[in-house]
Amino acid sequence: GENVEQHPSTLSVQEGDSAVIKCTYSDSASNYFPWYKQELGKRPQLIIDIRSNVGEKKDQRIAVTLNKTAKHFSLHITETQPEDSAVYFCAASTGTASKLTFGTGTRLQVTL
Amino acid sequence: DAGITQSPRYKITETGRQVTLMCHQTWSHSYMFWYRQDLGHGLRLIYYSAAADITDKGEVPDGYVVSRSKTENFPLTLESATRSQTSVYFCASSESLRGDRGETQYFGPGTRLLVL
């Protein structure tokens, strides 16, 4: 089955700096890659996703890049703010039954 | 977000007891999922369902039972709870799969389960 690895497990950045979280996947048939943000004690919420026919997608300060050849994708957050502090999860899906395989999460801490 | 709810939100039980976690969605989504979240493991799929009366195992199904008699409900039962099942449980749902596209999953608020 699919295996998703996520790095780093923790990331601390200063407010205004950029943050990058990287994920690799094993199943070359995977074609959907969402990113979820989970604040403390809350549910995971989708922040951005990308499909395999696209190499990059942006939404304001958030961007995701996908390299199908290398089987990795990354989340980029620019101009970080304290409210960006949370745990971020990447995931991959082959589209079969919409099953997602999640990475183990990255705890992002944005310091003042 | 209000379209998918879970109950109870918190549950304390003892080893060996049967526990049922409820999940209800109002979007008429075909797909529903149960995950458990543990530190260091992220979100792991327990069971999922493609439609009423259709269920299938995920990554960690042992010790759990599911049913889906109605599209909107997807209860998860721990037949004989063990301490290792102490976790946060999330239910999720997504729209019908079209073609080969993956679909966005929307999560419920979670149930925190403590097995003593």
Side-chain angles (χ1 to χ4, degrees), chain B residues 28-41:
Chain B
S28 298
H29 283 173
S30 291
Y31 287 88
M32 296 188 74
F33 308 85
W34 274 107
Y35 295 91
R36 60 177 291 172
Q37 185 173 37
D38 306 289
L39 196 63
H41 291 280

Side-chain angles (χ1 to χ4, degrees), chain B residues 73-91:
Chain B
N73 296 323
F74 191 38
L76 176 74
T77 298
L78 289 66
E79 293 189 300
S80 179
T82 65
R83 290 193 182 89
S84 64
Q85 293 177 310
T86 292
S87 187
V88 180
Y89 291 86
F90 285 99
C91 177

